[in-house]
Amino acid sequence: MIPRYPFVFLLLLSAGCARQKFFQPDARPDTAPLAATADSARVTAGRHYQRGPIGRVLLGPHHRQVWTQPVTLPVLKVASTVPGGLRPGKIGGGFQTTSMTVLTSTGQGYALRTIDKNPYRTLPKVLRHSFVLNLVRDATSAGHPYGAFVVPPLAEAAGIPHTNPRAFYVRADETNLGPASALYQGRVVLLEEKLEGETNIAGRLPGATALEETDYMLAKRYQTGQHTIDEATFLRARLLDLWLGDWDRHEGQWTWAAYVQAQGGTRWTPVPQDRDQVFFRFDDGFIPWLASKVVRKFRTFGPHYESIEGYTRNARYLDEQVLTRQTRPAYLAAARDLQKRLTDAVIESAVRQGLPREVYQREGASMVAALRARRDALPEVANEFYQQRARHVLVAGTDEDERFVVDRLNDTATVVSVYRHFKASNKPPRPDSLLYRRHFNPTETHSINLHGLQGKDVFELRGKVRRSPFVNIYGGPQEDLVIDKSRVAGMRRKTRFYDTARNNTFEPAPELKDKTTHGVTSHAFDRDGSGR
């Protein structure tokens, strides 16, 4: 049957199978040989994203004008772009981007990545030679090829650690990148310092003793209470993400700097990386508009925020693990602080400095105007982000012994405190052993999920109120004790205990609902995001 919209059918039919030579053979539109001593070149990031009127209506204008705009970029000189030169290292990259680690003479690493993407490997094999590949390839034009270069001055003003990417053209005859040379020849690339591992700390993050990926950091956080996370900096970074329209902030987009604390222990500070999706422009054509209704994370950057839920979907796991202490006043204070830091002058300078001159002349004014409008709305955005995160809150202990105390103080305040190293359940915890404390309002929070993890944990609940969030207790694989002396008005029990039926101690209580089983499913806890 022919689709209701014949022009869509004709588009798909004409696409037929995937174009085998989709990408431009060389970023330089001028085919004349480039002089051996040339320091710069006139290039386009992606001429293949040019579309006619019908194509722009169906597929969207996206950032096509920027991808096809000739700009002047420096030529990558492997021997001299970085003092001491660069030597090729390990080839990596995700499913779409060609990436390689290049090293300086001192061992410091840089990531060399193509700006354009090839989504071939992201699709199931059955679709890799169909029109679907053409559509997905074309969607790359929704990303801004030079957006990442605008971010560093903005992050600096916001007080957030950052990398400093630079754009280059790789000569079509470049052979000094080892076996990977052919993958980069004639391409526009991004070169940025790698913030991973001890060798890349020197001179970049003063005071840090280590740089680790998210899964390593979370493993340490859940191992012992001696490891804590700099939630305030992470919150500020996440608000910056929303401001920039950067929707792809999953756990793989961060590294974490370790700082030894004077009082003992280690504090982990987030370092955002990989700003490929800032200033994303997607749902401006018929087909992308339909796709955006199905995949809500594809949000379009503009003067107004489209969907906070969509912007944050890819980061949901990490937000849940990290933003556990921050209250509404903290969200609003962070937003107002960013408003003060991100002045009109800072925005103007960052856009002018980050965009190639030709691109700035084309869209610099509109980008600046959109950033100013979005900055002015940051408190409202922060409030909505808080409401989203406060609905269901994770409070996780560590693999050590802990005591969780839930005080249902009144109808607007339920206080959760976590203490380390309890010795006996009939002795009050020491004030200096406090690991966590937060007040919850049942009008904001529907459920609080307590995870004891490993260790022999105690869960105490007390207080008589009319309203309270649900408290879900997950004890963990070792022996745990639950003492519920609380009471909440109404028929529904607001305390639920999930664990094994054996090797745990709890007594029937009016508010406690026994959800124990003979299986160990309740012991599962996703420590690194692999269970999503």
Side-chain angles (χ1 to χ4, degrees), residues 257-278:
Y259 293 88
V260 176
Q261 302 300 290
Q263 66 274 23
T266 300
R267 191 164 184 82
W268 296 89
T269 294
V271 183
Q273 298 190 89
D274 204 351
R275 292 293 191 175
D276 289 348
Q277 305 302 347
V278 293

Side-chain angles (χ1 to χ4, degrees), residues 122-144:
T122 65
L123 293 177
K125 290 184 178 180
V126 69
L127 298 178
R128 290 179 180 179
H129 298 283
S130 71
F131 70 87
V132 176
L133 178 59
N134 287 343
L135 293 177
V136 176
R137 279 174 171 170
D138 185 83
T140 299
S141 62
H144 198 298

Side-chain angles (χ1 to χ4, degrees), residues 1 50 69 146 170 180 224 249-250 273 280 391 410 472:
M1 180 180 294
Q50 181 67 55
Q69 171 67 52
Y146 308 109
V170 178
T224 170
R249 303 306 303 157
H250 59 80
Q273 298 190 89
F280 199 71
R391 183 68 175 162
N410 52 56
N472 301 315

Side-chain angles (χ1 to χ4, degrees), residues 239 328-341 378-379 382:
L239 291 177
R328 186 192 299 270
Y331 276 70
L332 295 177
R336 295 188 183 104
D337 181 60
L338 284 177
Q339 284 183 312
K340 294 178 181 179
R341 292 168 176 262
L378 269 174

Side-chain angles (χ1 to χ4, degrees), residues 220-227 395-405 417-425 429 433-436 450-460 474-475 478-482 527:
K220 290 295 185 182
R221 151 67 182 90
Y222 293 127
Q223 182 179 3
T224 170
Q226 293 295 308
H227 290 266
V395 179
T398 72
D399 291 337
E400 299 176 324
D401 298 343
E402 278 124 10
R403 172 182 274 173
F404 293 73
V405 179
S417 306
V418 184
Y419 300 89
R420 68 159 64 95
H421 302 310
F422 72 91
K423 296 301 180 182
S425 61
S433 67
L434 182 67
L435 293 173
Y436 175 95
L450 309 180
H451 284 263
L453 305 184
Q454 301 286 341
K456 298 179 180 181
D457 302 308
V458 170
F459 300 86
E460 299 180 30
Y474 298 84
Q478 297 194 39
E479 297 179 13
D480 301 304
L481 171 63
V482 178
R527 295 176 182 237

Side-chain angles (χ1 to χ4, degrees), residues 310-508:
Y311 286 130
T312 58
R313 180 168 294 188
N314 272 24
R316 184 179 298 167
Y317 168 80
L318 193 56
D319 288 344
E320 179 184 59
Q321 306 296 312
V322 175
L323 293 176
T324 66
R325 302 170 183 266
Q326 303 303 300
T327 60
R328 186 192 299 270
Y331 276 70
L332 295 177
R336 295 188 183 104
D337 181 60
L338 284 177
Q339 284 183 312
K340 294 178 181 179
R341 292 168 176 262
L342 299 169
T343 64
D344 288 354
V346 166
I347 295 172
E348 170 67 34
S349 176
V351 174
R352 185 182 293 274
Q353 173 184 327
L355 297 180
R357 178 178 56 83
E358 301 88 343
V359 175
Y360 177 81
Q361 292 173 347
R362 176 182 291 277
E363 63 169 36
S366 61
M367 183 179 287
V368 167
L371 285 170
R372 289 175 177 173
R374 291 169 74 95
R375 176 204 57 199
D376 294 344
L378 269 174
E380 292 81 3
V381 170
N383 187 61
E384 185 175 345
F385 186 32
Y386 168 77
Q387 290 176 331
Q388 175 186 301
R389 293 268 29 96
R391 183 68 175 162
H392 305 281
V393 178
L394 167 69
V395 179
T398 72
D399 291 337
E400 299 176 324
D401 298 343
E402 278 124 10
R403 172 182 274 173
F404 293 73
V405 179
V406 178
D407 286 304
R408 287 170 162 143
L409 294 181
N410 52 56
D411 292 347
T412 60
T414 293
V415 180
V416 175
S417 306
V418 184
Y419 300 89
R420 68 159 64 95
H421 302 310
F422 72 91
K423 296 301 180 182
S425 61
N426 59 352
K427 292 183 179 180
R430 301 192 315 271
D432 63 352
S433 67
L434 182 67
L435 293 173
Y436 175 95
R437 177 167 290 162
R438 178 174 167 182
H439 289 64
F440 296 92
N441 190 324
T443 62
E444 300 172 348
T445 302
H446 179 267
S447 64
I448 306 167
N449 299 315
L450 309 180
H451 284 263
L453 305 184
Q454 301 286 341
K456 298 179 180 181
D457 302 308
V458 170
F459 300 86
E460 299 180 30
L461 301 95
R462 56 205 182 201
K464 185 176 181 180
V465 296
R466 297 184 61 186
R467 302 183 65 186
S468 169
F470 285 94
V471 176
N472 301 315
I473 300 170
Y474 298 84
Q478 297 194 39
E479 297 179 13
D480 301 304
L481 171 63
V482 178
I483 305 171
D484 189 356
K485 297 181 179 180
S486 68
R487 193 71 179 97
V488 182
M491 299 294 293
R492 299 186 69 183
R493 298 186 181 189
K494 291 298 185 78
T495 306
R496 297 178 285 199
F497 180 43
Y498 297 84
D499 210 321
T500 54
R502 300 178 60 185
N503 300 324
N504 292 294
T505 302
F506 62 98
E507 295 181 357

